[in-house]
Amino acid sequence: DGGVTFSAPRKVQTQVVDFDHPKEMSGFPKFAADSQSKDFKDRIYTAWEDSRLGNGRILFSRSRDRGKSWSPPMPVDNGCPEATHQWQPAVAVNKDGLVAVTWFDTRQSADGSEYDQYFAVSLDGGETFLPSVRVSSASSNPKGPGNRLMTPSSMVHKGLFVLSMLSAAGWSAGGHYMGLAADKDGDFHPLWVDARSG
């Protein structure tokens, strides 16, 4: 009924977090619903960071019955090197029912300190994914010199003057500023936090 009332809550999946790698617990599950395709209409999709397979991986699940039941979790990208860390997924579905997932990925970085944006798409309603592709043309280094600069910020709160020094140095996870959208023609448009300039 358009969000006026809601069903009882149902468990979708369990997210396994490795607290020794904080960047992999930085995001939240993302969801997308197919509201218009001929073959997969009303399916719901979700992607999230998970450590149950070792290093952080993007896992995926789908519902064919409007969220009543969910498929077992599966990795979006089975072809990544074992040492790779993945986090910050986004998921979208286009008018033709293609499901896309993007995420941050360290496979291009020798020591795991830099990340790139990766993309994978499913042509069969989330049953399988094609091999992933790198979207970013250069790796991001969140600990670059520009992000370590301290920036003063001030405000008045309840009559008190507050001065703080802010820095982006703690945002190795990339914040929560990633997204993925499908336009009316069915093309996907990823956006991400990029620190290639330092």
Side-chain angles (χ1 to χ4, degrees):
D1 56 10
V4 176
T5 61
F6 287 88
S7 67
R10 293 184 179 98
K11 180 177 177 180
V12 176
Q13 296 293 342
T14 297
Q15 182 179 27
V16 177
V17 175
D18 179 359
F19 287 97
D20 291 329
H21 295 92
K23 69 183 170 191
E24 290 160 15
M25 62 179 215
S26 62
F28 304 100
K30 309 299 190 306
F31 291 84
D34 186 335
S35 62
Q36 56 186 333
S37 81
K38 183 181 69 150
D39 295 328
F40 308 114
K41 187 173 186 209
D42 293 333
R43 283 195 184 186
I44 305 172
Y45 306 101
T46 184
W48 69 97
E49 304 105 341
D50 200 287
S51 298
R52 74 185 69 193
L53 302 175
N55 288 342
R57 292 289 182 265
I58 303 305
L59 297 187
F60 178 86
S61 181
R62 68 194 172 282
S63 173
R64 297 179 184 181
D65 54 13
R66 296 182 174 194
K68 293 177 185 165
S69 62
W70 292 84
S71 65
M74 68 178 209
V76 172
D77 181 12
N78 283 313
C80 70
E82 186 177 336
T84 300
H85 291 269
Q86 300 173 332
W87 72 101
Q88 295 288 24
V91 60
V93 59
N94 75 4
K95 66 181 180 62
D96 301 312
L98 277 66
V99 183
V101 179
T102 58
W103 64 91
F104 287 164
D105 192 296
T106 63
R107 75 183 72 186
Q108 299 290 328
S109 175
D111 63 1
S113 65
E114 297 181 330
Y115 64 80
D116 282 275
Q117 178 81 339
Y118 272 74
F119 173 96
V121 67
S122 172
L123 308 178
D124 56 11
E127 304 284 335
T128 61
F129 281 85
L130 296 176
S132 64
V133 295
R134 181 183 180 197
V135 175
S136 51
S137 58
S139 297
S140 285
N141 177 4
K143 301 294 185 186
N147 289 336
R148 291 194 302 262
L149 293 174
M150 299 299 282
T151 304
S153 173
S154 65
M155 67 176 183
V156 175
H157 178 67
K158 294 184 179 180
L160 296 174
F161 179 77
V162 178
L163 175 67
S164 62
M165 300 299 284
L166 303 175
S167 165
W171 70 277
S172 61
H176 296 98
Y177 313 105
M178 283 57 69
L180 179 63
D183 66 23
K184 65 181 179 63
D185 297 322
D187 295 330
F188 290 104
H189 301 272
L191 57 132
W192 66 94
V193 174
D194 195 291
R196 69 184 68 194
S197 68

